[in-house]
Structure formats: C-alpha cells, structure tokens
Amino acid sequence: MITVVHPVITSHDALRTTNEARTNWVVDDYFHARQRNWMGNTVTWYHRTIEDYVTALTQAGFAITSLHECAPRHDRFDGDTAEFARRQRGPLFLLLTGSRP
C-alpha cells in the first residue's frame, strides 16, 4: 500500500500569506513541478498525478487492488461541524493498494 498527499492538494501553489485554514482547492498547473519555500530553502515540489502513481505501480508488476481518496469521517471531528464541512471539500490523501500476481 502507498499513501501520498492527494494530487488535488499538490496541484496548486497558492501564495499563503496567513496561517488561516485553507478554504479553496483550486487546481492549476496540474502537470507542472513548482518551486516552494520549505524549511528556509527553495525546493522543487514534484506534483504527481493519479495516473503517475498507477503507472509506476503497474510498471513495477503490481495489479491495483484498491484505490481510496479518504473522505473525512464525521466521528473524527469531535463535533466540529465547520471543520468537518471544510474537510469534505477535497481529499487530503490518496491510498493505492496493489499485489503481485
């Protein structure tokens, strides 16, 4: 099984000027790498598509047995309905499971 940040999350590099919670999941420049400031350095963030992950697994000889986009569960938010609603706007993680025949 592999777990990665969902491509919807990494597909846009909006300039963050506050520490407020993210309120949009704009998809832009979906097929491009981007530069980011990370821990005081500029790094290249290589965005990968779902197709990239599936292709890598199948080319390595795995058959995809499941794919999950991890919808939030209401019981994990301690009654915080606003945060639960915000987290329902886009998937955070992508889980792929494969097996070799």
Side-chain angles (χ1 to χ4, degrees):
M1 176 187 288
I2 64 168
T3 305
V4 296
V5 175
H6 196 285
V8 166
I9 301 297
T10 63
S11 65
H12 181 62
D13 196 22
L15 210 49
R16 298 291 304 234
T17 57
T18 70
N19 288 329
E20 293 181 24
R22 185 176 179 176
T23 59
N24 69 62
W25 281 261
V26 173
V27 174
D28 193 15
D29 289 331
Y30 190 76
F31 297 100
H32 297 100
R34 53 200 40 87
Q35 300 295 309
R36 281 208 164 147
N37 185 354
W38 186 65
M39 298 181 71
N41 295 298
T42 300
V43 298
T44 301
W45 183 280
Y46 291 98
H47 168 74
R48 303 287 189 250
T49 66
I50 294 172
E51 178 183 358
D52 291 333
Y53 292 116
V54 169
T55 299
L57 284 171
T58 57
Q59 286 183 348
F62 288 89
I64 303 298
T65 57
S66 67
L67 181 151
H68 298 278
E69 294 183 287
C70 305
R73 291 179 32 186
H74 193 269
D75 63 326
R76 301 284 172 102
F77 289 86
D78 294 328
D80 187 343
T81 56
E83 182 62 13
F84 176 68
R86 187 177 79 85
R87 293 296 185 175
Q88 285 186 305
R89 295 188 64 202
L92 293 178
F93 300 101
L94 174 68
L95 279 70
L96 290 165
T97 306
S99 63
R100 285 199 168 149

